[in-house]
Amino acid sequence: DEILASEDPIDLSIEASELKLQRLRELLPLNLPPEIAATLNGSLKFGGTPAHPTLNGSLTGTGITFPADLPTFDTKLLLSTTDGILLLDGTINETQGRVVTIAGKLPLTSEQWIRNPESLRAVPLDLTASINQFALPRLQALVPILAKAEGTFTTEFHLTGTPAEPNINGTANIDLKRFPLANTPYRNVRDANIRLRLEGKRIIVEPSSALVSGGKFTLGGEVGIDGK
């Protein structure tokens, strides 16, 4: 309570220049695939007061290699605070152009979070994202089976609600040229185009087709989302 009541201004800056991710992996317990390489730069400034903090700055990664057989890419995240709202603006660029754009905002109510950690479940979410033909193998850090996939992922969505009750609206498309099926007689999935609609708490799989072992199959349906 004494710290939160303090009106003493926060004045803290953090600068990072030309940090090599490979060397950071040796110093910090980072559970990252060993083949990821990047050069990191950052400039962050913390201000305001303990009860009403501010955060401004940027984080960038250049020459990011993952996986090794795909072109490198760069990423940038801008942070700014206005009227107690943290604004985020992020991009990922490949050689052919921008492939990811993310924008969001988050109220910085640190006093409320500290006094009542459960209030984090009710923090309002507001995030929009546009991802254009993002190579599926780049997602293998999250979904390891995609390491040998050949295809792209495209989506546009708006995330609202709260962490306890999320709502997501938008569309997504998975264009899968080839996906090997290890240890099966079917060899691989080819020419799959999976179309999704994101509607609040529902993910709707529109009728989609793919070729497997010389035959064709279709899929469709609906999956519920529950943040509880």
Side-chain angles (χ1 to χ4, degrees):
D1 288 347
E2 183 178 346
I3 295 176
L4 290 173
S6 173
E7 292 297 324
D8 293 338
I10 299 171
D11 186 4
L12 175 65
S13 297
I14 300 176
E15 301 283 340
S17 177
E18 300 297 311
L19 296 178
K20 301 301 182 182
L21 184 59
Q22 301 93 316
R23 295 177 181 174
L24 286 178
R25 185 186 291 110
E26 299 173 359
L27 300 174
L28 302 174
L30 299 176
N31 187 21
L32 297 174
E35 64 270 27
I36 293 182
T39 300
L40 307 178
N41 292 275
S43 176
L44 297 175
K45 182 173 179 59
F46 298 87
T49 65
H52 304 286
T54 62
L55 173 60
N56 298 278
S58 65
L59 300 169
T60 64
T62 58
I64 302 173
T65 301
F66 185 73
D69 58 342
L70 289 179
T72 61
F73 62 96
D74 302 330
T75 184
K76 185 173 186 178
L77 177 65
L78 300 177
L79 304 166
S80 62
T81 304
T82 302
D83 297 329
I85 304 295
L86 178 63
L87 305 177
L88 305 92
D89 185 3
T91 58
I92 295 178
N93 294 284
E94 294 183 344
T95 53
Q96 74 273 22
R98 182 166 298 175
V99 292
V100 176
T101 301
I102 297 176
K105 55 185 179 181
L106 177 73
L108 286 179
T109 54
S110 60
E111 181 177 8
Q112 182 181 5
W113 299 342
I114 292 172
R115 295 186 187 280
N116 178 21
E118 278 295 307
S119 65
L120 286 167
R121 291 173 52 82
V123 171
L125 303 174
D126 189 349
L127 177 73
T128 59
S130 175
I131 302 174
N132 183 35
Q133 295 187 339
F134 196 72
L136 288 174
R138 294 204 194 279
L139 300 175
Q140 63 182 274
L142 301 174
V143 186
I145 63 173
L146 293 178
K148 296 185 181 300
E150 298 176 13
T152 59
F153 174 65
T154 297
T155 184
E156 290 189 5
F157 67 83
H158 185 198
L159 175 64
T160 57
T162 67
E165 294 285 345
N167 283 284
I168 185 169
N169 291 276
T171 60
N173 188 82
I174 301 173
D175 185 11
L176 190 59
K177 300 298 184 186
R178 179 179 173 274
F179 181 67
L181 300 173
N183 303 317
T184 74
Y186 304 107
R187 304 184 68 177
N188 56 62
V189 175
R190 294 186 297 107
D191 300 331
N193 187 267
I194 303 171
R195 302 183 305 277
L196 309 174
R197 293 202 322 271
L198 314 173
E199 297 184 354
K201 296 183 181 300
R202 301 187 303 161
I203 298 178
I204 299 170
V205 183
E206 298 184 346
S208 306
S209 64
L211 299 179
V212 179
S213 191
K216 180 179 180 180
F217 78 92
T218 61
L219 72 156
E222 181 178 321
V223 178
I225 303 176
D226 191 344
K228 296 181 180 179

